[in-house]
Amino acid sequence: SNTTDTKSKEENKKTLENLYSLSVDITKIRRLKEWVLLQDVAYVKEIAGILQEMGADETTVANIIERCPEAILHTPAEINSQRALWQLVCQNEKQLIKLIEQFPESFFTTEYQQNQKANILFFQELGLKNNIITRFLTSAPNIFYNPVEKNKTVIETLQRNYLNLGGSEANMKIWILKLLSQNPFILLNTSTTIQENLEFLQKNDFTDQEVLQLLSKLKGFIFQLNSTTMQKSMLFSKNTFKCSDQELKQLVLKCPALLYYSVPVLEERLEGLLKEGISIAQIRETPMVLELTTQIVQYRIKKLSALGYDIKSGNLESLNGTKKDFEVTYGKIQSKKERPIFNPVAPLHIED
């Protein structure tokens, strides 16, 4: 085990020889996870063989083992069943080997094979496309470690609430799939948390329609919150913007980040904006600007100022949005500035 006292144990000579023969950089492994080299049994050649069978060249094999040395401690049988499992959602072995190279830890976690398989089949039944499931396997592998019943319960809770809030049966599937693909980590919550958060919003006078709107806007993040933090954030916004409950509700619907971010985060972002000379009134007008980190805001203000655009007197819409949105806005302001102003009364100089 990795708690072994490394001083008292020798590195396994056979393991070292086999790794050398594959051109693996052993110093990397010593630095990362030396305990792997101390194990009595390792399947270096066998695991390399399986990876090569899938189409990995020597460099790829070495790269995978350097990044995830514990791969060589798995038996060939475990790796072959993992391979079969991932092939349920991969187009071909070429795609599979590419994924293993990018996310070796996800692939070589083999303890939960029964759960992984049951969850893959459940997600397929649910209608999730294979490319989304492979994205989950690599970027959110722990949702596959849950027993499938737990994931089913969370999905059923979401479906039930969606219908109770007035969502239609016809749109429910699309809504669930969209929510999941935006944020698979909602499956790590309990159905009780989901229920409590929705009840909190209803108690705060959000109508069913508005709650539904918030669920879609928040990309499922609402399920990772709790009523205490939401209450504190809403109170902070109410005091900052000096608004009534009804006005606060409208602000939250416009900018769900007011619900999602904790008070210290909101405070820091607000402070950053005020330092730039932006007023509370401007922020209240365009609260979405609080979704951006202080660094992003400063960078964008600097770029716009260089074009002669004064953010203090303008509106904050030009700061908003994703990186792509901002680049479009910036491009428009830039081309406006570069375009010569045409004066219709000025005499035209036409060469004879």
Side-chain angles (χ1 to χ4, degrees):
S1 83
N2 41 358
T3 52
T4 315
D5 180 7
T6 49
K7 299 284 173 288
S8 65
K9 251 189 136 179
E10 293 268 303
E11 288 183 352
N12 183 326
K13 292 233 179 0
K14 191 170 179 237
T15 302
L16 293 180
E17 277 166 27
N18 288 334
L19 289 170
Y20 275 127
S21 71
L22 291 167
S23 313
V24 171
D25 182 347
I26 292 171
T27 50
K28 266 190 191 168
I29 297 184
R30 283 198 183 105
R31 200 171 58 239
L32 267 180
K33 293 178 178 168
E34 197 193 10
W35 59 271
V36 171
L37 303 172
L38 308 177
Q39 305 309 306
D40 298 329
V41 181
Y43 301 93
V44 183
K45 281 186 169 166
E46 294 85 340
I47 302 309
I50 293 172
L51 294 171
Q52 283 160 344
E53 235 174 70
M54 285 192 257
D57 58 20
E58 193 179 280
T59 319
T60 305
V61 171
N63 191 8
I64 290 171
I65 295 174
E66 282 163 14
R67 284 192 52 199
C68 183
E70 58 272 44
I72 62 172
L73 301 179
H74 290 288
T75 67
E78 284 173 332
I79 298 311
N80 275 322
S81 24
Q82 193 72 339
R83 174 185 177 178
L85 201 58
W86 282 47
Q87 276 176 328
L88 293 172
V89 286
C90 283
Q91 295 163 350
N92 49 38
E93 302 223 296
K94 194 178 164 190
Q95 187 200 6
L96 177 54
I97 208 72
K98 214 171 167 181
L99 288 176
I100 298 173
E101 191 177 9
Q102 286 173 299
F103 307 95
E105 283 87 359
S106 302
F107 181 78
F108 289 107
T109 302
T110 61
E111 291 88 320
Y112 308 92
Q113 276 176 345
Q114 288 312 105
N115 288 357
Q116 280 186 335
K117 185 171 186 179
N119 279 308
I120 286 175
L121 298 174
F122 167 58
F123 291 142
Q124 286 177 326
E125 262 165 51
L126 206 56
L128 275 175
K129 292 197 162 60
N130 282 343
N131 61 336
I132 304 265
I133 301 175
T134 51
R135 201 180 79 215
F136 289 178
L137 274 170
T138 52
S139 58
N142 37 351
I143 66 170
F144 292 87
Y145 308 159
N146 284 339
V148 71
E149 290 67 34
K150 173 171 181 317
N151 287 340
K152 277 185 178 166
T153 309
V154 172
I155 296 290
E156 280 158 13
T157 306
L158 287 169
Q159 290 171 327
R160 191 176 56 249
N161 278 297
Y162 180 78
L163 295 174
N164 289 347
L165 291 166
S168 74
E169 191 84 54
N171 291 335
M172 183 174 70
K173 186 180 171 181
I174 296 167
W175 182 77
I176 287 279
L177 295 182
K178 193 175 175 189
L179 200 60
L180 265 182
S181 51
Q182 286 172 330
N183 183 8
F185 297 105
I186 53 176
L187 292 170
L188 300 178
N189 298 297
T190 65
S191 35
T192 328
T193 316
I194 294 173
Q195 207 61 53
E196 282 168 1
N197 287 346
L198 295 177
E199 279 164 17
F200 167 81
L201 291 173
Q202 286 168 316
K203 274 183 204 142
N204 276 278
D205 293 330
F206 285 93
T207 64
D208 288 354
Q209 196 50 47
E210 287 166 343
V211 174
L212 210 50
Q213 193 186 328
L214 271 175
L215 293 190
S216 306
K217 272 193 170 180
L218 274 168
K219 301 186 167 82
F221 288 126
I222 188 163
F223 305 123
Q224 285 160 254
L225 301 173
N226 64 60
S227 48
T228 320
T229 55
M230 288 195 279
Q231 188 73 61
K232 284 179 180 164
S233 298
M234 281 175 74
L235 191 62
F236 172 76
S237 299
K238 191 178 177 180
N239 294 334
T240 303
F241 298 116
K242 303 190 173 29
C243 54
S244 68
D245 288 346
Q246 190 51 38
E247 289 167 330
L248 176 65
K249 214 174 75 163
Q250 291 314 312
L251 280 175
V252 169
L253 287 169
K254 224 177 180 186
C255 173
L258 295 176
L259 203 59
Y260 176 58
Y261 289 122
S262 66
V263 171
V265 172
L266 291 171
E267 261 176 336
E268 186 219 345
R269 293 187 176 183
L270 203 72
E271 228 167 83
L273 289 163
L274 297 175
K275 264 189 195 151
E276 295 291 338
I278 289 165
S279 68
I280 290 280
Q282 280 176 296
I283 301 168
R284 185 175 164 169
E285 197 54 42
T286 316
M288 292 77 76
V289 76
L290 290 166
E291 291 174 359
L292 305 169
T293 67
T294 307
Q295 288 77 2
I296 292 175
V297 167
Q298 286 169 340
Y299 166 77
R300 291 183 181 182
I301 288 176
K302 212 169 159 181
K303 280 199 81 165
L304 292 172
S305 302
L307 293 180
Y309 185 90
D310 181 17
I311 205 76
K312 293 189 213 54
S313 56
N315 90 12
L316 303 183
E317 284 294 339
S318 48
L319 286 178
N320 273 346
T322 60
K323 188 177 180 211
K324 206 172 166 186
D325 297 335
F326 175 71
E327 277 162 11
V328 170
T329 309
Y330 178 79
K332 280 181 187 163
I333 294 171
Q334 195 175 31
S335 61
K336 228 183 214 165
K337 191 178 180 291
E338 286 164 2
R339 201 180 301 133
I341 295 164
F342 173 64
N343 181 352
V345 245
L348 290 177
H349 298 291
I350 300 166
E351 295 291 318
D352 286 333

